[in-house]
Amino acid sequence: MSPSPGIVYLVGAGPGDPGLITVRGAKLLEQADIVIYDLLSNPRLLSYCPHAEAIYVGKKAAAHSLPQEQINALLIEKARAGKRVVRLKGGDPFVFGRGGEECQALADAKIPFEIIPGITAAIAAPTYAGIPVTHRDLNSSFTFITGHEKEDEYRDDQTKSREKGDAGDINWDIIAKLPCIAFYMGVKSLARICSRLIENGMSPETAAATIQWGTMPTQKTVVSTLSRLAQDVAEAKLQSPAITIIGKVVELRNTLSWFEHRQLFGQTIVVTRSRHQASELSERLEELGASVIEAPTIELHEPADLAPIDAAIKSAGNYDWICFTSASGVTATRKRLFALGHDARLFGQAKIAAIGQATAQAIARDLCLKVDLCSKTFVAEALADELAQRNAIASQRFLLLRADIARPLLRERLQQAGAAEVKDVPLYETRRAAELPATLIESLVTGRINWITFTSSSTAKNFADLLGPDHRQKLAHIKLASIGPITTQTLRDLNLEPTIQGTKFDIDGLISAIVAHQEKSP
Ligand code: SAH
């Protein structure tokens, strides 16, 4: 026995949207030693616990899921080894989730456990489809039923063989009188469910909807009537996981639908920036409803020799201007500054300049410094122009803290305009990523991708390189979004024509241009 006894937390992961886990669930993930999860808990939640051991017990492509007894044994074994175990379960652990059985096994084994509820699919999916599950004028009860789908891929084989394919304890005579019902695990048995309800007296005209992958960017909703639902769902090719809601409340979707109306809903968009830089763009696109695939084409590396950077940072206070050309440059500066045991006071009276708003924000956030001059657009020309307009170049000393691939333009312009000194220091090296992720290749093949975004010339070059010589053909039916004129020129050199180009040469401008294009030609 371990000296410090372990514990198991049964945590409801929510229905899919990673934002729908509870605050307590997220906190327990952060503290977990081990996370045991299955298919319906969004793997993105694992970003809360990068250092925990993550064990997948759901069904993979052709393999079978781990039988329930083995899952129970695994929970007990890990807790006995003194671990903090999070058992992450889709939706709510106790709603058709076998959480009760897992807790019984833990109780029998005298393992301490806690249970954290989650938002169950029958609440979340209709909400995201614009269907309130109760309404004062329409229904005063709401019932959860399992369709006991024999073939449901989220249930282990033992459970499937125990169930007879029809819900033995369902009294159709009573069910058919209920005003609002949610059926879990019912896609394949939908025809049978609907005919049983009609046979037992429910009106064939009752409004009904099936929602697939509710709360996810891939959410799909089919609205119909009881008599036609099974046929319509089959035609729309909806599959598990899906929830079916039967009742008059479904009609409210006409006015309450919201999630599927967001500006980029249904669009699959590729982000080619480095992993460090991707999250802002990815999050903004997701907020607008897009499904994002991150395919980093660039990796940022700290140079092997840090001496030139350290020397430049130590002498930064001697310059009149310190210019930052990107948010990543700010992050790299902060890292070295702190590693050297200093803080921003080292910059003394030097004025601070930034290319673009995002860089200025990073300076304020990471270095707690006020920016004296920020170019409106994210190109070096704009900063050079603004410095020139202020007559702030002649006989001034400049320190440029930038990426190794930055164009020499800013340095040249400053030198031409009579700067006393321009010290140009690359802070990090950029390298092409080794390969594109498998999900991207797969989505290219299946034709799922609508847009690819390019936020710099190097993302465009590297992406084309990684795709290989027939890149043009592979991208033939995909819309390409370029952040600005320089990236556009690189795309054209690669024989690719961008569908849109951002106007402000930053993330905001790129997103606005994509949205404007979608509104014009959805
Ligand atoms: N414990 C889970 C349910 C597990 S049973 C919960 O509380 O939600 C699995 C069934 O849940 C699926 O067959 C489907 O009917 C439903 N389900 C889970 N996630 C869903 C989603 N995102 N959209 C629609 N239905 C979902």
Side-chain angles (χ1 to χ4, degrees):
M1 279 291 255
S2 154
S4 58
I7 180 165
V8 176
Y9 298 97
L10 245 76
V11 175
D17 177 344
L20 292 179
I21 191 171
T22 59
V23 174
R24 177 149 169 76
K27 201 176 248 170
L28 289 170
L29 275 176
E30 281 168 8
Q31 298 164 351
D33 298 314
I34 297 179
V35 179
I36 298 176
Y37 69 107
D38 39 37
L39 190 60
L40 282 179
S41 41
N42 192 330
R44 284 175 65 170
L45 291 172
L46 298 179
S47 65
Y48 281 108
C49 47
H51 305 297
E53 180 191 355
I55 304 177
Y56 179 75
V57 293
K59 188 171 162 170
K60 282 214 185 80
H64 291 294
S65 52
L66 209 59
Q68 189 62 48
E69 281 65 25
Q70 282 183 34
I71 296 178
N72 297 353
L74 187 66
L75 294 174
I76 293 167
E77 176 202 319
K78 297 294 183 189
R80 284 207 172 126
K83 306 289 185 196
R84 287 173 74 93
V85 182
V86 166
R87 169 69 173 122
L88 191 62
K89 297 176 80 73
D92 180 88
F94 279 179
V95 179
F96 306 127
R98 309 194 67 182
E101 290 159 65
E102 289 178 13
C103 286
Q104 280 170 325
L106 293 168
D108 289 347
K110 306 220 167 0
I111 304 283
F113 60 83
E114 291 185 15
I115 306 149
I116 293 82
I119 306 182
T120 191
I123 304 285
T127 297
Y128 273 49
I131 300 170
V133 290
T134 72
H135 189 284
R136 227 153 50 116
D137 300 333
L138 303 176
N139 60 322
S140 50
S141 76
F142 173 48
T143 310
F144 294 3
I145 298 178
T146 161
H148 277 320
E149 207 156 77
K150 256 202 300 195
E151 307 292 324
D152 194 287
E153 59 193 293
Y154 303 108
R155 300 165 79 71
D156 67 51
D157 298 336
Q158 225 183 356
T159 317
K160 281 187 221 162
S161 64
R162 212 170 53 205
E163 293 164 357
K164 298 284 178 291
D166 199 353
D169 58 350
I170 291 185
N171 185 333
W172 291 102
D173 180 33
I174 293 174
I175 303 294
K177 295 187 180 67
L178 293 170
C180 186
I181 316 171
F183 278 97
Y184 289 75
M185 294 174 278
V187 194
K188 290 199 183 109
S189 32
L190 207 50
R192 200 189 63 240
I193 290 171
C194 294
S195 18
R196 291 273 193 288
L197 290 172
I198 294 171
E199 283 158 25
N200 284 274
M202 192 181 272
S203 161
E205 294 311 311
T206 309
T210 298
I211 306 147
Q212 169 193 278
W213 279 119
T215 78
M216 297 294 280
T218 42
Q219 172 172 310
K220 245 182 167 179
T221 309
V222 167
V223 175
S224 184
T225 58
L226 196 53
S227 60
R228 282 196 51 89
L229 183 68
Q231 194 184 333
D232 290 347
V233 164
E235 274 166 23
K237 299 197 173 58
L238 296 200
Q239 285 172 351
S240 182
I243 276 280
T244 293
I245 305 289
I246 299 171
K248 214 166 164 44
V249 284
V250 169
E251 291 166 11
L252 296 173
R253 175 174 152 85
N254 285 336
T255 38
L256 300 187
S257 177
W258 60 276
F259 182 67
E260 294 164 38
H261 288 171
R262 289 174 314 157
Q263 288 160 308
L264 296 179
F265 182 79
Q267 297 294 303
T268 300
I269 304 184
V270 177
V271 170
T272 55
R273 308 188 97 188
S274 72
R275 210 172 291 289
H276 291 76
Q277 300 164 312
S279 58
E280 189 203 347
L281 178 56
S282 302
E283 280 166 21
R284 301 263 312 269
L285 292 169
E286 281 172 350
E287 273 165 25
L288 292 167
S291 175
V292 171
I293 300 176
E294 286 188 357
T297 55
I298 296 177
E299 288 168 3
L300 306 186
H301 292 271
E302 198 171 60
D305 181 12
L306 293 168
I309 300 176
D310 291 354
I313 288 178
K314 280 188 203 151
S315 66
N318 301 333
Y319 291 87
D320 299 300
W321 286 93
I322 303 174
C323 305
F324 290 93
T325 62
S326 69
S328 306
V330 178
T331 311
T333 302
R334 173 190 155 101
K335 194 169 165 210
R336 289 315 304 158
L337 190 63
F338 287 10
L340 292 168
H342 291 289
D343 60 31
R345 284 173 293 181
L346 202 62
F347 296 164
Q349 296 305 309
K351 292 194 207 54
I352 307 289
I355 298 186
Q357 276 301 327
T359 311
Q361 279 162 10
I363 294 169
R365 187 188 58 228
D366 292 354
L367 297 170
C368 295
L369 284 172
K370 198 170 142 291
V371 173
D372 299 287
L373 179 64
C374 168
S375 68
K376 287 194 191 64
T377 56
F378 189 64
V379 283
E381 284 85 340
L383 185 62
D385 287 347
E386 287 182 41
L387 282 164
Q389 268 169 24
R390 289 192 179 197
N391 279 331
I393 302 180
S395 58
Q396 296 283 291
R397 304 182 67 209
F398 288 86
L399 173 63
L400 313 187
L401 297 172
R402 60 162 179 83
D404 69 340
I405 48 160
R407 294 174 306 140
L409 184 129
L410 183 57
R411 185 186 64 226
E412 289 166 6
R413 287 275 308 266
L414 295 173
Q415 282 166 339
Q416 284 157 13
E421 183 188 344
V422 184
K423 176 92 179 153
D424 197 358
V425 184
L427 292 171
Y428 54 88
E429 291 164 7
T430 53
R431 295 186 207 146
R432 199 184 78 188
E435 57 184 10
L436 292 169
T439 43
L440 176 95
I441 306 289
E442 201 183 295
S443 306
L444 268 181
V445 173
T446 54
R448 215 191 115 203
I449 296 170
N450 304 97
W451 287 92
I452 302 179
T453 56
F454 297 102
T455 48
S456 65
S457 286
S458 41
T459 58
K461 269 196 228 110
N462 292 356
F463 192 76
D465 268 7
L466 289 164
L467 278 182
D470 50 351
H471 67 261
R472 191 154 186 265
Q473 196 188 332
K474 287 183 180 148
L475 303 179
H477 303 292
I478 298 177
K479 290 179 258 190
L480 307 181
S482 156
I483 197 163
I486 297 158
T487 305
T488 296
Q489 191 50 53
T490 308
L491 284 167
R492 289 191 179 134
D493 295 343
L494 292 161
N495 216 357
L496 296 168
E497 184 57 33
T499 315
I500 59 100
Q501 175 184 294
T503 42
K504 288 192 320 184
F505 321 148
D506 60 8
I507 297 298
D508 263 346
L510 181 70
I511 295 174
S512 310
I514 296 177
V515 168
H517 183 276
Q518 280 306 123
E519 276 171 358
K520 260 200 289 147
S521 41

